[in-house]
Amino acid sequence: MELSIHPDADALAAAAAARIACLARAALDARGRFALAVSGGSTPWAMLRQLAGHALDWTRIDLFQVDERAAPDGSDERNWTHLRTALIDPLGLPAARLHAMPVGRDDAPVAYQRELRATLGVPPVLDLVQLGLGTDGHTASLVPGDPALDVEDVDVTWTAAPYQGTRRLTLTFPCIARARRVLWLVAGAGKRAMVRRLLAADRDIPAGRVAQDAAELFGDAAAVPRTMD
Ligand code: 6PG
């Protein structure tokens, strides 16, 4: 997997944003549209603030979520709240292109899969899925030991159990595998051990199960020491 290593989190955010902007322009030129799915957590927000500074035709870019926490609208726990703050509200993105995970609905997996299909076709193919990496090797909300890891027949599912206190809605491995490209965004020394296992495609961690042929990893030097280059 191609590595792009940067001295610190700020440089990483700027570089990853520039790369996503480049992929977006290429997709817009090639197919007239760009479908991006963004993970949650905390690392993506600085990158999204940087992405907001790039001149892109957002009227042709569909913004999806990789995963979301079952928490009230507007709460700080919701990844969508941070997506709004970092990117959506500052740019005034068109509502028709915004695809928030409907975690307030019991039928959220079916509803979101329906939205993916209505927007992208069947099966839905995302142009780019941005993934993070947890210190336990999870990615999206595909967490160790959860039955969601084994879901093969749908694109969206609930975690069977709460994770870090909240129930999660997540894209499944088949949906992620179908994406044209995957961009890993990883920062901090705490992720170093899992970066090593990810790069080794260690299938004993969820992240290791994501195909690497169309993936690239953007990391800071704390998470990805040069020795892993
Ligand atoms: C979430 C994320 C999650 C995240 C990892 C890494 O909603 O929590 O989607 O999978 O990507 O936990 O998060 P950080 O990069 O912010 O540490």
Side-chain angles (χ1 to χ4, degrees):
M1 171 159 51
E2 194 178 323
L3 297 183
S4 182
I5 306 170
H6 301 276
D8 54 49
D10 288 345
L12 170 65
R19 177 61 177 152
I20 292 173
C22 175
L23 290 169
R25 288 190 194 97
L28 292 172
D29 290 349
R31 293 181 296 278
R33 65 180 312 170
F34 181 61
L36 168 65
V38 177
S39 287
S42 58
T43 305
W45 314 139
M47 180 276 288
L48 292 176
R49 285 194 295 273
Q50 293 280 341
L51 185 62
H54 287 267
L56 292 171
D57 181 359
W58 288 97
T59 64
R60 295 187 292 152
I61 296 176
D62 283 287
L63 184 61
F64 291 92
Q65 290 188 269
V66 170
D67 63 343
E68 183 58 285
R69 294 90 177 277
D73 286 350
S75 87
D76 198 47
E77 278 192 282
R78 289 280 291 274
N79 293 326
W80 192 252
T81 302
H82 299 281
L83 259 162
R84 292 201 69 102
T85 303
L87 181 68
I88 296 168
D89 294 351
L91 294 185
L93 296 187
R97 295 292 186 191
L98 302 178
H99 308 279
M101 283 187 154
V103 290
R105 298 174 53 157
D106 285 338
D107 68 342
V110 171
Y112 204 61
Q113 175 166 281
R114 187 181 309 122
E115 187 155 349
L116 280 162
R117 290 178 169 185
T119 311
L120 303 176
V122 182
V125 176
L126 290 156
D127 288 298
L128 178 64
V129 173
Q130 176 268 314
L131 292 176
L133 179 62
T135 53
D136 60 356
H138 84 262
T139 190
S141 283
L142 297 164
V143 302
D146 193 283
L149 295 178
D150 301 318
V151 172
E152 296 287 339
D153 58 339
V154 292
D155 289 328
V156 189
T157 191
W158 286 111
T159 53
Y163 182 72
Q164 294 175 345
T166 54
R167 199 177 181 212
R168 305 286 191 92
L169 193 69
T170 184
L171 299 185
T172 58
F173 278 125
C175 184
I176 294 167
R178 207 180 302 125
R180 288 190 172 89
R181 285 203 73 76
V182 166
L183 187 146
W184 292 92
L185 183 65
V186 189
K191 305 293 176 72
R192 188 174 296 185
M194 288 301 159
V195 167
R196 194 179 303 279
R197 294 180 66 181
L198 167 60
L199 295 179
D202 178 350
R203 295 182 65 85
D204 289 338
I205 61 169
R209 293 175 47 178
V210 176
Q212 298 189 11
D213 53 320
E216 53 197 279
L217 187 145
F218 276 69
D220 65 2
V224 190
R226 283 284 170 206
T227 50
M228 288 191 214
D229 212 345

